[in-house]
Amino acid sequence: EDQVTQSPEALRLQEGESSSLNCSYTVSGLRGLFWYRQDPGKGPEFLFTLYSAGEEKEKERLKATLTKKESFLHITAPKPEDSATYLCAGISSGSARQLTFGSGTQLTVLP
Amino acid sequence: ETGVTQTPRHLVMGMTNKKSLKCEQHLGHNAMYWYKQSAKKPLELMFVYNFKEQTENNSVPSRFSPECPNSSHLFLHLHTLQPEDSALYLCASSQGSGIDYEQYFGPGTRLTVT
């Protein structure tokens, strides 16, 4: 059974304090890995898709990386507006593709 | 309206009621999805529609009945729900036909079953 595990469950940072969120996966023949951001009272917002180990993508203060077992979302010099829950999801390959989400990391950036 | 809209935003219903959730996407996408989001649990994909045809039903109880009359509209009909069905129900759409593509989510309907 495909599994996606995110850690930590919650993270509090001071503004400007860089850190990383982890997404480890056991997904059959990973076809792609998504990162989403979800603000309270809203639906998830797409951030990145990663397809192969070694791939990196950046957007403003965020950089997502992928290895064969996990993905990291690096947040450089975060600001309070980066506070949100960050979700990752993996897609398995094969005829019966499955999309499996992790439970998310709730990030709070304090001013 | 832009993006993906959902109505109502909040719904309280008894276990014997029948209600429907509505989703509309204004993005010209071909695929639409229903998800369930419960507190402290991962998003659960319920149904997938590509070009109005249902392509996935992830073992969802029959008390949830989806309907997709066209590629812009998606409904979730609810009847004889259980308290454990209380959750945030999210609709999403994507350009491509299938779960491989980035999805655009609506704000969700917060459902409470009493």
Side-chain angles (χ1 to χ4, degrees):
Chain A
E1 182 181 333
D2 295 340
Q3 282 194 324
V4 174
T5 304
Q6 292 189 246
S7 61
E9 287 188 14
L11 180 64
R12 291 166 67 91
L13 300 173
Q14 290 295 135
E15 183 172 3
E17 180 186 0
S18 301
S19 188
S20 294
L21 313 183
N22 177 264
C23 170
S24 63
Y25 61 88
T26 51
V27 173
S28 176
L30 186 77
R31 186 178 176 89
L33 188 133
F34 295 107
W35 281 99
Y36 286 87
R37 167 193 172 129
Q38 186 172 20
D39 292 295
K42 295 187 176 182
E45 176 188 345
F46 171 77
L47 293 174
F48 305 107
T49 309
L50 302 167
Y51 294 102
S52 56
E55 188 175 1
E56 297 183 352
K57 289 192 176 175
E58 290 189 62
K59 180 180 180 180
E60 296 181 356
R61 294 176 293 282
L62 301 177
K63 183 169 78 172
T65 62
L66 182 66
T67 73
K68 289 185 178 180
K69 293 184 178 180
E70 55 195 347
S71 178
F72 294 94
L73 186 65
H74 308 277
I75 304 177
T76 302
K79 299 181 177 182
E81 53 263 41
D82 294 321
S83 298
T85 296
Y86 290 85
L87 305 172
C88 70
I91 305 173
S92 60
S93 60
S95 58
R97 293 200 299 277
Q98 295 290 322
L99 175 64
T100 304
F101 276 83
S103 297
T105 293
Q106 185 175 358
L107 173 67
T108 303
V109 182
L110 303 170
Chain B
E1 295 279 16
T2 59
V4 180
T5 58
Q6 291 187 242
T7 54
R9 294 294 309 277
H10 300 272
L11 178 63
V12 179
M13 61 185 288
M15 289 190 284
T16 58
N17 291 160
K18 289 184 179 181
K19 296 286 185 183
S20 296
L21 310 184
K22 178 184 176 182
C23 174
E24 183 174 1
Q25 60 96 359
H26 310 266
L27 300 168
H29 287 169
N30 301 315
M32 296 188 77
Y33 312 79
W34 278 117
Y35 287 87
K36 176 182 179 182
Q37 188 172 38
S38 304
K40 305 295 184 184
K41 292 180 67 176
L43 270 171
E44 300 173 50
L45 180 60
M46 301 173 71
F47 301 105
V48 180
Y49 277 83
N50 289 317
F51 296 99
K52 304 187 300 178
E53 299 297 321
Q54 185 180 130
T55 57
E56 285 191 43
N57 173 346
N58 289 336
S59 304
V60 179
S62 59
R63 56 186 184 269
F64 295 92
S65 175
E67 178 189 0
C68 188
N70 54 62
S71 57
S72 297
H73 294 85
L74 186 63
F75 296 89
L76 188 63
H77 303 300
L78 316 171
H79 64 96
T80 59
L81 294 190
Q82 304 299 311
E84 59 265 29
D85 296 322
S86 298
L88 181 68
Y89 287 86
L90 290 161
C91 173
S93 68
S94 65
Q95 176 64 48
S97 55
I99 59 174
D100 300 57
Y101 297 86
E102 63 193 68
Q103 295 178 27
Y104 294 79
F105 286 81
T109 294
R110 174 67 63 186
L111 173 67
T112 303
V113 181
T114 60

